[in-house]
């Protein structure tokens, strides 16, 4: 049972909602206490309540950023849920490559990319197909956590991390052993850029994407924030672009400007105007 003071929990709830639009419902005190205990210890405080009380007095922006960072969910793995990656590599990308588009550049956004596994998974899945077609690809990975972005840019993972869904042939092909870790090859890294982006805030100037992966993150926002994010994401898509959400996420009842279609068993969302123009 959590010993976190109500005033401390309320302060953290308001901070995280204000900075990242993440909703912490009552009952999540244990989560806040678990995530912030390392910060409290590093600050020399006896417990999380004391740490937060100190922050309420100082309003130190660096410590506030650490709290938001700590409470950003960073659960990730390679080929998470499987079907979306098969849909991308076996159906969506080949369809784009057959389009005859003159620019011959495939652009993909991995939003809320955490420590980079999703972006690297997509790259491994499509690299050979894209090159064989004479195209090139660019992947943008974004996250709110600077710590996770630094890990993603480094592209170094422990044995335990590579064991979470990474097939052995791809480990051999795309990684090099570095002491106790495995590092992504420079060749794969060259196609991927990581930068900070807060999904709940106005987006910076971005290119138009063919594919956006916004997976397992909308579940942490309230309906108004979900709607706002989905509409801004739609603005980053090419007219024929598509959006992939997490298995527990949907646009239904949130933003009706999307149509959902199944591609190789994976739900794929496209702007309704594009679906209509195809006669679907």
């Amino acid at each position: 049972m959590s010993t976190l003071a109500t005033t401390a929990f309320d302060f953290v709830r308001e901070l995280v909602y204000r900075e990242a639009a993440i909703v912490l419902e009552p009952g999540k005190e244990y989560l806040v206490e678990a995530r912030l205990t390392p910060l409290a210890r590093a600050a020399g405080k006896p417990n999380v309540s004391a740490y937060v009380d100190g922050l309420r007095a100082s309003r130190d922006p660096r410590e506030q950023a650490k709290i938001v960072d700590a409470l950003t969910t960073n659960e990730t793995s390679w080929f998470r849920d499987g079907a979306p990656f098969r849909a991308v590599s076996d159906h969506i990308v080949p369809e784009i490559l057959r389009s005859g588009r003159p620019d011959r550049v495939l652009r993909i956004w991995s939003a809320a990319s955490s420590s980079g596994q999703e972006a690297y998974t997509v790259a491994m899945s499509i690299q050979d197909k894209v090159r064989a077609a004479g195209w090139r690809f660019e992947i943008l990975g974004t996250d709110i956590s600077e710590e996770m972005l630094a890990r993603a840019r480094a592209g170094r993972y422990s044995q335990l991390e590579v064991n979470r869904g990474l097939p052995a042939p791809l480990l051999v092909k795309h990684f090099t052993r570095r002491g106790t870790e495995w590092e992504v090859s420079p060749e794969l890294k060259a196609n991927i850029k990581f930068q900070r982006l807060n999904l709940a805030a106005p987006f910076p100037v971005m290119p138009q994407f063919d594919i956006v992966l916004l997976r397992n993150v909308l579940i942490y926002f309230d309906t108004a924030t979900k709607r706002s994010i989905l509409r801004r994401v739609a603005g980053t898509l090419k007219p024929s672009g598509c959006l992939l959400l997490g298995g527990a996420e949907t646009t239904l009842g949130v933003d009706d400007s999307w149509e959902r279609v199944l591609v190789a068993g994976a739900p794929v969302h496209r702007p309704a105007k594009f679906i209509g123009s195809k006669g679907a």
Side-chain angles (χ1 to χ4, degrees), residues 26-194:
K28 294 290 187 180
E29 289 87 351
Y30 70 94
L31 174 65
V32 170
E33 193 160 31
R35 295 284 181 89
L36 300 191
T37 291
L39 296 181
R41 287 174 179 161
K45 300 296 183 180
N47 53 52
V48 173
S49 291
Y51 168 68
V52 174
D53 285 345
L55 183 57
R56 288 171 62 202
S58 70
R59 301 283 172 166
D60 185 336
R62 292 168 300 180
E63 290 298 319
Q64 290 186 4
K66 289 178 183 178
I67 286 179
V68 174
D69 220 33
L71 289 167
T72 301
T73 300
N74 295 309
E75 174 67 19
T76 189
S77 60
W78 309 94
F79 293 90
R80 186 176 180 183
D81 303 327
F85 298 102
R86 290 191 293 272
V88 168
S89 65
D90 297 345
H91 298 274
I92 299 171
V93 166
E95 179 184 345
I96 295 169
L97 298 178
R98 290 192 297 266
S99 68
R101 207 168 69 201
D103 66 307
R104 303 176 79 81
V105 180
L106 179 67
R107 291 186 173 88
I108 299 173
W109 177 18
S110 170
S113 61
S114 188
S115 46
Q117 284 94 324
E118 180 177 82
Y120 289 124
T121 294
V122 173
M124 288 185 285
S125 300
I126 69 172
Q127 184 183 68
D128 292 344
K129 291 183 175 72
V130 172
R131 287 183 173 176
W135 284 48
R136 63 186 180 90
F137 67 94
E138 298 173 356
I139 297 176
L140 173 64
T142 66
D143 202 86
I144 195 172
S145 168
E146 291 287 4
E147 180 182 352
M148 289 299 108
L149 289 168
R151 292 202 62 223
R153 293 185 189 109
R156 295 182 69 150
Y157 302 95
S158 68
Q159 186 67 53
L160 180 63
E161 287 172 318
V162 299
N163 285 347
R164 297 191 65 199
L166 183 62
L170 293 182
L171 177 64
V172 172
K173 181 177 180 180
H174 295 290
F175 290 75
T176 301
R177 191 74 186 242
R178 304 291 187 197
T180 60
E181 296 180 314
W182 293 88
E183 183 173 354
V184 177
S185 69
E187 184 180 27
L188 207 62
K189 286 182 183 179
N191 300 289
I192 307 172
K193 173 184 171 184
F194 292 98

Side-chain angles (χ1 to χ4, degrees), residues 9-20 24 59:
F9 179 64
D10 288 344
F11 177 83
V12 171
R13 285 181 66 194
E14 292 167 8
L15 171 66
V16 173
Y17 185 79
R18 183 176 69 249
E19 297 297 324
L24 288 174
R59 301 283 172 166

Side-chain angles (χ1 to χ4, degrees), residues 220-232:
Y220 299 104
F221 300 119
D222 59 26
T223 300
T225 304
K226 289 177 185 178
R227 184 178 300 114
S228 175
I229 292 171
L230 285 169
R231 291 187 176 173
R232 282 182 282 121

